[in-house]
Amino acid sequence: MTPKIALEEHFLAPGFEEYLAKTAVNISPEMFGKATAALTDFGERRLSQMDQIGVETAVLSLAGPGVQVEQNTARAITKAKECNDFLAERMAASKGRYSGLAHLATQDPNAAADELERCVKELGYVGAMINGQTNGAYLDDDRFSVLWERAADLGAPIYIHPSNPPDFPYMYHGHPELFGPVWSWTVETGNHALRLIFGGVFDRFPKARLLLGHMGETLPYQLWRFDSRWEISNRGAKRLAQKPSDYFRRNVWVTTAGVCSDEPLRCAIDALGVDRVLFSIDYPFEHSNLAGDWIEKAPLSDTERAAICHGNARALLGL
């Protein structure tokens, strides 16, 4: 069994149930809430799932949307700190089995940057996860430059996780099944990442690191077209120092979270490079045994499998 580090594995902190409830609109009533017991467990239930498939370390992150949907900035800052302190205690007690991605109140970018630095330098976190837009603000907005600069200086990746858009797009009317994990979360997160690329974030902060789950939210499939159509797009005064695809290969890493399929895995490897793809489960929203069995049998060389399962995570996160 190949040793593994899993990058998008979720938990729920006390007092964050109200935020998780915001996703009820996206999930069938019969299924919503069934993952709570797994999310709140840090003991035998979670560890046994890890052991069954060879996960040595799980990088934990709060199940979204968390404080990204909080309207009160002061409360968001306080709650994010509470969440990070809560997980830090579990990380310390786990003897290396758990690492973590910090939860940030991006309502206040300066406070978010300071909290990221605290989490990395004092609590042992390896990056941050941000659950989509925050009250209509996306991370390409210049107000977030302080966060990107700090993250780049710390070498801390920022993982953008799916969440709902600030409005309800008409294209989903009459099709609630498309609003959520089937499709809209992919569209929303992929678009968020493209805002960063085309907004020049990685020209301003060339050492910034972006993580995307779900095999890159379909974006690796489109790299050639991004380059081609950028040339004729209605881009106004926008300019980029490099081709769009160059930023994907320099600043973006993707995880396999929630996608156990050979074809998108091969696409991600071929489009971005094998050093840009990292194993994840998306626990408990995906079955651990399914993800583990799949990656062991996927059509990869031994070198590729080792890199994806653990080597790339060690290099990116310093684990």
Side-chain angles (χ1 to χ4, degrees):
M1 189 183 299
T2 310
K4 299 175 183 67
I5 297 171
L7 265 288
E8 188 188 319
E9 317 313 316
H10 298 291
F11 74 97
L12 186 62
F16 281 78
E17 297 84 358
E18 63 179 293
Y19 299 126
L20 185 62
K22 299 286 186 181
T23 63
V25 66
N26 306 110
I27 308 298
S28 71
E30 296 78 17
M31 293 299 296
F32 185 77
K34 290 188 179 295
T36 301
L39 287 168
T40 54
D41 174 74
F42 295 86
E44 180 60 26
R45 177 171 181 167
R46 187 186 294 268
L47 290 168
S48 65
Q49 292 286 308
M50 294 165 55
D51 291 341
Q52 286 177 29
I53 64 168
V55 174
E56 296 179 345
T57 302
V59 182
L60 304 183
S61 52
L62 181 75
V67 300
Q68 261 70 72
V69 296
E70 175 58 57
Q71 297 295 312
N72 184 297
T73 297
R75 186 168 190 259
I77 294 171
T78 298
K79 294 287 288 183
K81 184 177 184 297
E82 290 175 359
C83 176
N84 294 327
D85 288 343
F86 171 82
L87 178 58
E89 292 178 359
R90 274 73 194 162
M91 290 162 53
S94 74
K95 299 180 179 179
R97 300 303 304 275
Y98 300 144
S99 184
L101 296 173
H103 191 52
L104 302 179
T106 41
Q107 291 85 343
D108 184 333
N110 286 289
D114 290 343
E115 178 65 2
L116 175 61
E117 184 168 356
R118 182 182 80 94
C119 286
V120 171
K121 289 186 174 182
E122 298 179 20
L123 303 180
Y125 282 76
V126 294
M129 176 176 282
I130 296 174
N131 295 295
Q133 53 82 28
T134 303
N135 299 328
Y138 292 87
L139 293 174
D140 63 306
D141 192 298
D142 191 54
R143 77 185 85 169
F144 297 110
S145 290
V146 63
L147 176 58
W148 285 111
E149 182 177 29
R150 195 77 59 87
D153 289 345
L154 292 166
I158 292 181
Y159 198 132
I160 298 182
H161 185 266
S163 191
N164 289 333
D167 55 4
F168 186 84
Y170 186 81
M171 62 181 172
Y172 301 119
H173 276 267
H175 286 275
E177 72 280 1
L178 298 181
F179 193 66
V182 168
W183 184 236
S184 75
W185 286 352
T186 294
V187 174
E188 176 71 4
T189 312
N191 194 74
H192 197 158
L194 291 177
R195 290 179 68 109
L196 301 176
I197 298 286
F198 291 107
V201 168
F202 302 121
D203 280 339
R204 301 196 298 277
F205 307 104
K207 294 184 179 179
R209 300 173 174 185
L210 175 66
L211 270 165
L212 297 173
H214 315 115
M215 216 73 82
E217 309 292 357
T218 75
L219 298 180
Y221 192 80
Q222 288 284 86
L223 296 193
W224 186 91
R225 185 163 175 83
F226 292 148
D227 289 347
S228 171
R229 297 306 89 185
W230 164 246
E231 295 298 329
I232 67 168
S233 65
N234 182 16
R235 55 186 172 174
K238 289 182 179 178
R239 295 293 182 268
L240 293 175
Q242 302 182 51
K243 296 184 299 183
S245 62
D246 290 334
Y247 300 101
F248 279 95
R249 298 186 179 103
R250 188 189 73 186
N251 299 97
V252 179
W253 285 255
V254 305
T255 78
T256 66
V259 179
C260 303
S261 177
D262 294 347
E263 294 83 3
L265 174 64
R266 195 72 250 171
C267 176
I269 293 169
D270 292 344
L272 303 177
V274 69
D275 61 323
R276 298 279 153 165
V277 184
L278 301 90
F279 175 74
S280 297
I281 301 166
D282 204 353
Y283 179 87
F285 304 111
E286 189 55 77
H287 296 293
S288 297
N289 286 335
L290 174 63
D293 291 346
W294 163 71
I295 199 66
E296 292 288 355
K297 297 173 182 176
L300 300 168
S301 69
D302 290 342
T303 300
E304 287 175 325
R305 198 178 329 273
I308 291 168
C309 285
H310 61 88
N312 295 339
R314 297 188 199 282
L316 178 64
L317 306 178
L319 291 170

